[in-house]
Amino acid sequence: MEPIQVQRVSSYKLTAEQAGLGVAVDPYIETSRLKAHFGADLLARRVLPVLVVLENQDADGGFALLPNRCALLTGGTSMGPGIGDPFTLQQKAEASRRGAIIGGATIMVFPLAAVAALPIVGSVQEEYRDARDMQKNMMRLALTVKPVYRGDSNSGFLYFRTEGLDLSDSDLAIQVVGENIRTKEQVAFQLRLKP
């Protein structure tokens, strides 16, 4: 996988500044970027990865992003982030592994059918590996919560489920919320995906 080159907030297209904090979001909607950095087209799996960059440019105290308060906003509804729906990915991986085991048993019990079953077993095992690799990449690149002090930054991906969403909707926005770790004061940013 190609490494993500995180830039300063000011170099991104979708940015906002408030109370000495700068934030940028970069939704990964291009298939080529998704495959290069995650090894799979996550949009085809109904997951939108969004790179979030937070810089403490001149705010007093440390700030941390609150992933559970970040959301994808559309038409008055809010969808919080979910790490690519790991339960569904886990279910799919488990089903693939069971399929590989069943396929393997079929080969052992019915040796004459082995030639016909080999491509099926191979594709199930490959799908299982792909799902596990994709999930590992998502977890590796996910946003981690850490304090960001003056002059410091933090970045990582939030993942939003996109089932039933129109990503070309002009009202689509991402809400990012940071919190002062000392005072608990929250700062919210809303960035429209279609400026």
Side-chain angles (χ1 to χ4, degrees), residues 65-188:
L65 283 173
L66 302 175
N68 61 334
R69 294 286 317 276
C70 297
L72 186 60
L73 308 171
T74 179
T77 61
S78 170
M79 301 180 68
I83 306 297
D85 197 1
F87 180 72
T88 302
L89 288 175
Q90 185 65 27
Q91 271 185 325
K92 186 173 184 178
E94 289 297 319
S96 296
R97 191 172 62 217
R98 281 195 302 273
I101 292 167
I102 290 168
T106 302
I107 290 171
M108 289 171 39
V109 175
F110 303 106
L112 295 177
V115 174
L118 280 175
I120 295 169
V121 171
S123 69
V124 168
Q125 288 173 336
E126 185 176 325
E127 184 178 332
Y128 172 68
R129 271 193 306 275
D130 290 347
R132 287 190 47 86
D133 289 346
M134 180 182 65
Q135 190 173 23
K136 283 181 189 176
N137 289 332
M138 290 175 69
M139 296 303 284
R140 178 178 55 83
L141 296 170
L143 179 71
T144 56
V145 178
K146 71 171 193 167
V148 178
Y149 296 98
R150 187 175 288 145
D152 199 7
S153 66
N154 184 23
S155 62
F157 282 88
L158 295 176
Y159 303 97
F160 297 92
R161 293 181 196 95
T162 62
E163 193 158 353
L165 286 180
D166 178 7
L167 292 178
S168 65
D169 182 353
S170 62
D171 290 333
L172 206 56
I174 294 179
Q175 174 179 286
V176 177
V177 179
E179 181 179 76
N180 185 303
I181 59 173
R182 186 174 36 97
T183 66
K184 303 300 181 201
E185 172 193 355
Q186 293 185 0
V187 179

Side-chain angles (χ1 to χ4, degrees), residues 8 23 25 55 83 97 123-124 150 178 189 194:
R8 295 192 53 85
V23 68
V25 295
E55 284 180 356
I83 306 297
R97 191 172 62 217
S123 69
V124 168
R150 187 175 288 145
F189 301 89
K194 302 279 185 181

